[in-house]
Amino acid sequence: QVQLVENGGGSVQAGGSLRLSCAASGYLSSSNCMGWIRQAPGKEREGVAVISTEDGSTVYADSVKGRFTISQGNDKNTVYLQMNSLKREDTAIYYCAADCPTPDLVEVVNRPLFGRWGQGTQVTVSS
């Protein structure tokens, strides 16, 4: 059974940094992609970033471009999200996600369209 387990959430002041990690297990090899979605209180889930495990291409939501960086581990079953210059509006539960139903990563992030996600980790940014 495939599982996605997140680590690294917590509380930080605005302007600070956090690094999230996610380990996937249960795949025969790896998912075709891994990424992150988030959900703030009272808001819909929002795609944050995605990386193709096949060629390493990445796509980011406009709200995090230039501040967040997604990367993958050598085994392609680990994904990281380095979050810098955090803002209060980044406060949300962050979910690791995998299994892209389309090679159009822009659509995957914008809708978002991942096939599965983990239990989530809380990120709280205070002023």
Side-chain angles (χ1 to χ4, degrees):
Q1 185 176 357
V2 174
Q3 284 190 315
L4 303 174
V5 179
E6 304 94 340
N7 276 293
S11 297
V12 66
Q13 288 192 326
S17 298
L18 279 175
R19 190 188 195 214
L20 305 182
S21 64
C22 171
S25 61
Y27 286 103
L28 288 178
S29 57
S30 68
S31 171
N32 60 345
C33 76
M34 292 188 76
W36 296 89
I37 55 179
R38 67 185 182 185
Q39 187 165 24
K43 295 189 177 181
E44 294 186 355
R45 284 186 175 179
E46 173 190 20
V48 175
V50 63
I51 184 167
S52 166
T53 60
E54 297 168 355
D55 62 14
S57 56
T58 59
V59 174
Y60 296 90
D62 288 344
S63 57
V64 306
K65 277 180 185 175
R67 300 187 298 122
F68 291 11
T69 302
I70 189 170
S71 60
Q72 62 180 340
N74 290 335
D75 65 355
K76 299 184 180 181
N77 281 311
T78 304
V79 67
Y80 306 96
L81 186 69
Q82 178 66 42
M83 305 184 292
N84 298 330
S85 302
L86 282 160
K87 305 175 181 179
R88 287 190 63 184
E89 52 263 44
D90 294 318
T91 295
I93 299 174
Y94 283 71
Y95 300 88
C96 178
D99 298 353
C100 292
T102 171
D104 186 342
L105 299 185
V106 173
E107 186 175 12
V108 169
V109 169
N110 286 346
R111 293 187 62 180
L113 273 184
F114 297 94
R116 71 178 73 243
W117 47 88
Q119 293 298 307
T121 185
Q122 177 70 47
V123 171
T124 302
V125 184
S126 59
S127 58

